[in-house]
Amino acid sequence: MYSSLLKHIESFLKETHTLQVGLDWVCAEIHQKLPNYDWVGFYFHHPQKKELHLRAFSGKPTDHTVIPFGKGICGQVAVSNQNFVVDDVSKQNNYISCSLEVKSEVVIPLFVNSKNVGQIDIDSNTPSAFDEKDVAFLEKVNALVSTFLLRTNEPF
């Protein structure tokens, strides 16, 4: 499933020339194709403000469109530059609840030219929904998105 979805994402991004269209499509495609991916979003850094800003998502709307660096799982990844998999969000002290339905989360930093510029954030209503296959898949998605960001030459 992951390899065919990656090929589909790669193909679409090669044909797309608008940043927002590409990001929106990737979120929707992953959300629709992977049953445990109940919310899929891309946050991007605003380094001057030390904040993450939600740029694209698929799933229920969230009030968390701006997240300070260090706050929540996303904010921690903005600082650590490391993948973060949470099997049970209720056991995280520094967790920002987007929905009471969310049980697990995975956040993977997005690098462009070796610089962390944002992240892909996935929420699941299923406990322990993510494993190393999901992490590897999302790292590859981010690599495709990174190439796409460079190609579009639009500010992100």
Side-chain angles (χ1 to χ4, degrees):
M1 157 93 50
Y2 291 125
S3 63
S4 63
L5 184 52
L6 283 168
K7 287 177 186 170
H8 190 51
I9 290 169
E10 181 178 25
S11 176
F12 183 85
L13 291 179
K14 282 183 178 176
E15 300 299 320
T16 302
H17 301 287
T18 305
L19 181 60
Q20 194 63 51
V21 169
L23 293 174
D24 287 340
W25 184 89
V26 168
C27 290
E29 193 68 9
I30 292 171
H31 180 224
Q32 291 171 9
K33 296 285 194 298
L34 299 174
N36 284 339
Y37 287 47
D38 295 299
W39 191 91
V40 178
F42 283 101
Y43 285 92
F44 283 88
H45 290 198
H46 283 254
Q48 304 86 340
K49 296 180 178 183
K50 295 194 183 290
E51 294 174 339
L52 294 163
H53 289 229
L54 184 61
R55 178 74 189 256
F57 74 94
S58 182
K60 290 183 180 178
T62 178
D63 292 335
H64 303 287
T65 58
V66 177
I67 299 173
F69 283 13
K71 182 124 172 86
I73 307 307
C74 290
Q76 291 176 71
V77 169
V79 174
S80 73
N81 300 321
Q82 301 292 315
N83 299 339
F84 202 146
V85 178
V86 180
D87 290 330
D88 182 352
V89 296
S90 71
K91 294 184 178 176
Q92 288 293 314
N93 293 335
N94 189 8
Y95 174 69
I96 299 171
S97 178
C98 291
S99 164
L100 295 175
E101 297 169 332
V102 174
K103 304 295 184 228
S104 58
E105 181 174 12
V106 59
V107 180
I108 307 294
L110 173 62
F111 295 96
V112 174
N113 294 328
S114 301
K115 181 182 176 193
N116 184 347
V117 300
Q119 56 206 228
I120 190 167
D121 177 22
I122 314 294
D123 292 342
S124 180
N125 299 343
T126 305
S128 301
F130 308 109
D131 61 20
E132 65 277 349
K133 291 177 193 161
D134 295 284
V135 169
F137 165 71
L138 293 168
E139 287 174 341
K140 290 174 184 168
V141 167
N142 276 358
L144 294 172
V145 169
S146 176
T147 300
F148 173 66
L149 291 170
L150 289 169
R151 187 176 57 73
T152 64
N153 205 23
E154 290 182 49
F156 45 87

